[in-house]
């Protein structure tokens, strides 16, 4: 029998609910509407109320701290894909190949996922990602370079892209300086 737990992470984007099945992340939810609503939503999706457990989330919380401090580029956490269906997984896996500090268009990600005509489906996949931040869907932009809606919170996407751009720019300046 699986153990479903959750912990809260308080970061620069506001409260984030991290939900795990055993030791694998099943959902990272930037809780714009509050932790209680995020917890109720994941409870409904999984059919069980996650038990609070800070210990299971400690490694990911530490990695999120490092990411927001500009010290981490990728995440080392197991992912539980049970909330992801069909093409969505291929699209989300493809976004993991977009380098830190760079972006790719929805069409480019469709190509990376071996579905060249599926740019709109990539947009849907990114919007429904249960692994925001950890799986970098924020690096996927419109063909014209504009950032898009990001689940109705473009300010979050802008924050993440700006963070990564500042880190990369700082590294380049340090290398040339």
């Amino acid at each position: 029998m699986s153990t479903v737990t959750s912990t809260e992470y308080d970061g620069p984007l506001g409260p984030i609910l991290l939900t795990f099945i055993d030791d694998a992340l099943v959902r990272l939810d930037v809780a714009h509407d509050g932790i209680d609503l995020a917890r109720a939503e994941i409870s409904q999706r999984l059919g069980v109320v996650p038990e609070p457990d800070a210990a299971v989330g400690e490694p990911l919380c530490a990695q999120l701290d490092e990411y927001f401090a500009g010290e981490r580029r990728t995440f080392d956490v197991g992912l539980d894909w049970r909330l992801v269906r069909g093409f969505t997984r291929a699209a989300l896996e493809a976004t993991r190949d977009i380098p830190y500090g760079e972006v790719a268009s929805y069409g480019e990600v469709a190509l990376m996922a071996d579905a060249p005509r599926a740019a709109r489906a990539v947009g849907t996949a990114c919007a429904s990602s249960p692994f925001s931040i950890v799986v970098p869907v924020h690096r996927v932009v419109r063909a014209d370079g504009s950032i898009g809606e990001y689940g109705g919170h473009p300010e979050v996407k802008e924050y993440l892209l700006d963070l990564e751009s500042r880190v990369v720019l700082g590294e380049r300046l340090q290398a040339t300086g």
Side-chain angles (χ1 to χ4, degrees):
M1 184 167 170
S2 296
T3 303
V4 181
T5 58
S6 68
T7 191
E8 296 174 30
Y9 174 79
D10 201 15
L13 302 173
I16 295 175
L17 182 66
L18 305 171
T19 305
F20 298 86
I21 295 182
D22 298 323
D23 292 332
L25 181 70
V26 71
R27 184 166 173 95
L28 182 154
D29 189 357
V30 180
H32 300 286
D33 297 321
I35 288 288
D36 291 338
L37 188 58
R39 188 172 281 115
E41 180 184 317
I42 193 63
S43 297
Q44 182 178 16
R45 301 253 341 247
L46 295 175
V48 62
V49 176
E51 291 293 323
D53 184 352
V56 75
E58 282 177 8
L60 181 53
C61 289
Q63 290 179 46
L64 286 166
D65 283 342
E66 293 167 358
Y67 173 80
F68 288 120
E71 300 164 357
R72 174 174 285 277
R73 292 175 178 248
T74 61
F75 292 89
D76 182 23
V77 60
L79 300 176
D80 183 310
W81 292 88
R82 75 183 64 208
L83 298 178
V84 179
R85 303 278 183 253
F87 173 74
T88 298
R89 182 167 181 167
L92 295 180
E93 296 243 7
T95 66
R96 297 170 88 183
D97 292 333
I98 304 169
Y100 181 94
E102 295 182 24
V103 296
S105 71
Y106 294 103
E108 290 170 324
V109 173
L111 286 170
M112 293 163 61
D114 293 325
R117 303 180 78 193
R120 285 187 180 195
V122 169
T124 300
C126 290
S128 64
S129 173
F131 309 120
S132 175
I133 304 170
V134 171
V135 172
V137 296
H138 58 276
R139 296 181 191 149
V140 184
V141 298
R142 294 178 175 162
D144 67 3
S146 62
I147 65 170
E149 287 300 311
Y150 200 68
H153 294 277
E155 71 281 1
V156 172
K157 186 171 190 171
E158 187 172 6
Y159 179 90
L160 297 171
L161 291 173
D162 286 349
L163 168 72
E164 292 183 10
S165 292
R166 283 192 315 272
V167 170
V168 170
L169 179 61
E171 290 172 351
R172 286 183 187 145
L173 291 173
Q174 227 174 17
T176 61

